[in-house]
């Protein structure tokens, strides 16, 4: 009997809590059923122990905000990544753990602000990656578009946003929206998309998420 890979969806918030978290959980659970991996979900940071985390091929921070792990839990998560674990950050995962520099480098950026929700056009910068190879070169959609205070320098950018297609961007010509990198022994991938309930019902976004999860799992 084949042992299925398992992922942990972590959606604890200590600041703003996105109304789309249940839609995100449901979408990831459905992707798991369709693609033969199991999905555990929690808001309980006590799941972050060395012995528990080793059960997971990837850990997904789904719209987390604020300080969500204590020092011991942070240490367990660092050890998990250093042992080859996978991380997926979705949407406000960058609005999380501002005082934990290791996490900032893992997720690849910290959130600054966002304009009002609106349509904008994303540009695929890497069409060969498992999370983007199904996407059109220019992908128009409606979402909340983040600006960042800082971006890590070792990121492989997957998507940028064309700031001429919406109002409120403050990065100029190079405004990354999704990226991946090898980090401290593990794999990390982040997408800024996914503010709305409707995002998680979009086939293109679902496939983007699935690809991100598969990358983090090492596929």
């Amino acid at each position: 009997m084949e042992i299925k890979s398992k992922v942990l969806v972590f959606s604890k918030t200590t600041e703003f809590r996105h109304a789309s978290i249940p839609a995100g959980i449901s979408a990831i659970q459905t992707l798991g059923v369709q693609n033969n991996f199991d999905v555990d979900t929690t808001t309980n940071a006590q799941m972050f122990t060395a012995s528990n985390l080793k059960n997971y091929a990837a850990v997904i921070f789904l719209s987390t905000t604020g300080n969500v792990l204590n020092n011991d839990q942070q240490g367990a998560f660092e050890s998990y990544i250093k042992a080859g674990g996978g991380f997926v950050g979705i949407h406000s995962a960058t609005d999380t753990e501002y005082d934990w520099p290791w996490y900032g480098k893992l997720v690849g950026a910290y959130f600054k602000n966002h304009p009002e929700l609106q349509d904008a056009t994303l540009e695929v910068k890497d069409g060969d990656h498992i999370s983007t190879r199904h996407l059109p070169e220019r992908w128009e959609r409606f979402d909340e578009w983040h600006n960042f205070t800082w971006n890590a320098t070792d990121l492989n950018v997957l998507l940028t946003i064309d700031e001429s297609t919406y109002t409120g961007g403050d990065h100029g010509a190079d405004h990354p929206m999704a990226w991946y990198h090898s980090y401290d022994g593990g794999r990390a991938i982040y997408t800024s998309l996914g503010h709305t309930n409707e995002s998680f019902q979009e086939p293109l976004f679902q496939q983007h998420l699935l690809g991100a999860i598969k990358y983090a799992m090492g596929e």
Side-chain angles (χ1 to χ4, degrees):
M1 182 177 160
E2 181 192 2
I3 298 176
K4 287 203 276 189
S5 294
K6 187 158 64 164
V7 301
L8 178 65
V9 179
F10 182 55
S11 58
K12 180 179 176 179
T13 54
T14 59
E15 303 293 338
F16 182 81
R17 186 164 183 86
H18 282 77
S20 60
I21 287 173
I25 289 171
S26 178
I28 295 167
Q29 288 171 328
T30 299
L31 291 172
V33 170
Q34 294 170 343
N35 295 276
N36 201 39
F37 61 88
D38 288 330
V39 179
D40 288 347
T41 69
T42 192
T43 57
N44 182 2
Q46 292 178 344
M47 296 275 282
F48 282 73
T49 64
S51 60
N52 188 52
L53 289 176
K54 69 183 181 189
N55 295 314
Y56 297 102
V59 176
I60 302 167
F61 277 44
L62 172 61
S63 290
T64 50
T65 57
N67 293 326
V68 291
L69 300 179
N70 68 25
N71 288 345
D72 289 344
Q73 293 155 358
Q74 289 177 5
F77 189 50
E78 288 186 21
S79 296
Y80 166 79
I81 294 294
K82 287 172 181 170
F87 168 80
V88 180
I90 301 172
H91 195 53
S92 63
T94 47
D95 191 23
T96 302
E97 293 288 354
Y98 290 91
D99 301 321
W100 181 15
W102 180 92
Y103 176 82
K105 292 174 190 163
L106 173 80
V107 71
Y110 280 126
F111 166 78
K112 179 182 180 184
N113 57 34
H114 63 82
E116 64 182 322
L117 276 74
Q118 58 195 295
D119 286 305
T121 300
L122 298 158
E123 297 182 315
V124 176
K125 291 299 177 188
D126 179 354
D128 295 325
H129 194 268
I130 190 172
S131 67
T132 51
R133 60 191 180 207
H134 66 288
L135 293 173
E137 286 182 21
R138 289 177 62 83
W139 180 23
E140 183 181 330
R141 56 187 302 280
F142 180 85
D143 212 327
E144 179 184 84
W145 307 113
H146 287 174
N147 295 310
F148 303 102
T149 60
W150 164 88
N151 281 95
T153 56
D154 67 334
L155 305 175
N156 304 296
V157 175
L158 295 163
L159 299 172
T160 58
I161 193 164
D162 180 349
E163 289 195 351
S164 72
T165 63
Y166 75 110
T167 56
D170 70 3
H171 290 255
D174 182 21
H175 187 161
M177 277 285 158
W179 53 78
Y180 73 98
H181 61 155
S182 298
Y183 179 70
D184 208 11
R187 297 167 304 282
I189 187 166
Y190 169 78
T191 182
S192 178
L193 286 48
H195 176 81
T196 65
N197 287 333
E198 291 77 15
S199 292
F200 293 99
Q201 293 155 14
E202 291 173 35
L204 289 177
F205 181 66
Q206 290 173 351
Q207 192 70 25
H208 175 56
L209 264 189
L210 176 63
I213 293 166
K214 285 185 170 183
Y215 164 77
M217 292 166 69
E219 292 185 22

